[in-house]
Amino acid sequence: MSIQIRRVTVLGTGVLGSQIAFQSAFRGFDVTAYDISADALSAARGRLDKLAAIYRDQVPGGGDGKAEATAAGIALNSDLGEAVRDADLVIEAVPEVLTIKRDTYEKLGELAPERTIFATNSSTLLPSDIKDFTGRPDRFLALHFANQVWHFNTAEIMGTADTDPAVYQAVVDFATAIGMVPIELHREKAGYVLNSLLVPLLDAAMNLAEGGFADPEAVDKTWRIGTGAPAGPFQILDIIGLTTPYNIMVNGDATSKRIAEWLKENYIDKGKLGIATGEGFYKY
Ligand code: NAD
């Protein structure tokens, strides 16, 4: 018999956790969101209210009070045991720090029912890095969303060699049911599909501009016209925000460090962080 997922608990109510909780509830799942403190939960309430406004204005079917009702229907809890007591699926979106993930899964493995599936939204850790902390590697895999889940609706699904195929399939079905397009990976790959493509593109674009070969506008124009893509790499960087690539590149090799310095001097130090601050490579 196939595995049924009805009740979902999201761990961590930050940028991604709040979106995953909202999207799942919007599509009719019974959702609980867990975070570590009352303060974190009150921030979560604020995030859900902001998402309600976005869904009301931008997402088909979000009007007539549906978006507000979705936000109100998400249960918030700071007691991990209570939050996962009846969960069919736990989606983990806690900070990208291995010790925090480890601590979270060790507790979760003890507290969740045996049937509960665990999925990590980690962008940079492989499920193999985490599976031994879960106590149930056969019911564990990665389910990776992109920021702005209502708009950029890929869900990359990646198991380990230990993941039960029926669990994998149940998560593919769940992703589809909440309106995502499931992207199935057959083997573990750092960066999944999307970042395996995107990171080298963004790096190459920054190399061209930092090296003085071509301006960001020329690079973007080339990409748009030459491939038919709607946006060029610098437009994408403005959406991501410039601090994320800076933080990655400042710890990289000599070329990466030079690009980090270029980002800092020309953009970050001038408050040009991307769309979020009204200006990055472009003005908004
Ligand atoms: P965030 O910092 O916005 O949110 C993290 C949340 O976890 C916060 O609400 C924090 O209070 C909570 N938290 C802290 N310690 C915790 C603990 N011990 N147990 C439970 N919750 C705890 O982070 P984010 O950007 O939402 O990223 C979360 C995960 O999602 C990471 O694994 C990241 O790689 C992944 N991810 C992020 C993005 C993105 O664009 N931000 C995209 C895809 C995947």
Side-chain angles (χ1 to χ4, degrees), residues 68 77 79 85 102 147 158 169 178 182 210 220 223:
E68 291 77 7
N77 203 320
D79 180 311
R85 187 167 49 202
R102 174 181 196 145
N147 194 11
M158 186 164 85
Q169 188 57 47
I178 62 166
E210 183 273 333
D220 280 0
W223 188 251

Side-chain angles (χ1 to χ4, degrees), residues 11-20 34-37 40-41 43-44 47 80 92-97 99-101 103-104 107 120-125 143-148 192 195 240 244:
L11 308 185
T13 58
V15 175
L16 257 283
S18 58
Q19 295 180 18
I20 298 165
Y34 161 84
D35 214 304
I36 41 172
S37 63
L41 289 185
R47 281 206 170 86
L80 185 61
E92 170 271 305
V94 308
E96 192 74 337
V97 177
T99 49
I100 296 181
K101 303 273 192 205
D103 181 55
T104 301
K107 289 185 184 136
T120 182
N121 183 48
S122 175
S123 294
T124 62
L125 297 165
L143 171 61
H144 184 240
F145 295 85
N147 194 11
Q148 302 187 6
Y192 304 82
N195 282 336
I240 295 169
T244 301

Side-chain angles (χ1 to χ4, degrees), residues 55-261:
Y55 276 67
R56 182 194 61 215
D57 297 340
Q58 298 181 19
V59 177
D64 294 332
K66 165 104 185 266
E68 291 77 7
T70 298
I74 297 171
L76 297 177
N77 203 320
S78 59
D79 180 311
L80 185 61
E82 280 179 21
V84 303
R85 187 167 49 202
D86 218 3
D88 301 313
L89 171 66
V90 170
I91 303 173
E92 170 271 305
V94 308
E96 192 74 337
V97 177
L98 187 59
T99 49
I100 296 181
K101 303 273 192 205
R102 174 181 196 145
D103 181 55
T104 301
Y105 280 102
E106 284 176 348
K107 289 185 184 136
L108 183 61
E110 297 288 320
L111 294 168
E114 271 179 30
R115 73 170 197 285
T116 308
I117 296 170
F118 301 163
T120 182
N121 183 48
S122 175
S123 294
T124 62
L125 297 165
L126 292 173
S128 285
D129 299 332
I130 298 173
K131 69 174 181 181
D132 291 341
F133 311 140
T134 67
R136 59 185 78 185
D138 60 323
R139 300 184 85 69
F140 172 68
L141 76 180
L143 171 61
H144 184 240
F145 295 85
N147 194 11
Q148 302 187 6
V149 298
W150 61 92
H151 184 48
F152 299 110
N153 63 331
T154 54
E156 298 181 282
I157 300 154
M158 186 164 85
T160 72
D162 293 327
T163 308
D164 178 342
V167 166
Y168 188 99
Q169 188 57 47
V171 172
V172 170
D173 294 344
F174 167 75
T176 308
I178 62 166
M180 299 293 109
V181 176
I183 308 294
E184 299 185 33
L185 282 98
H186 304 309
R187 294 171 54 205
E188 286 185 278
K189 172 85 177 86
Y192 304 82
V193 173
L194 182 58
N195 282 336
S196 295
L197 294 167
L198 192 56
V199 172
L201 173 71
L202 301 181
D203 284 354
M206 287 189 280
N207 258 301
L208 285 167
E210 183 273 333
F213 298 103
D215 294 336
E217 294 78 8
V219 171
D220 280 0
K221 206 185 301 172
T222 310
W223 188 251
R224 288 194 307 266
I225 297 172
T227 69
F234 289 101
Q235 293 173 282
I236 298 172
L237 282 162
D238 274 355
I239 294 172
I240 295 169
L242 272 51
T243 38
T244 301
Y246 173 80
N247 288 334
I248 296 168
M249 298 194 106
V250 80
N251 295 312
D253 62 14
T255 309
S256 298
K257 285 196 167 77
R258 210 176 56 234
I259 292 175
E261 200 44 45

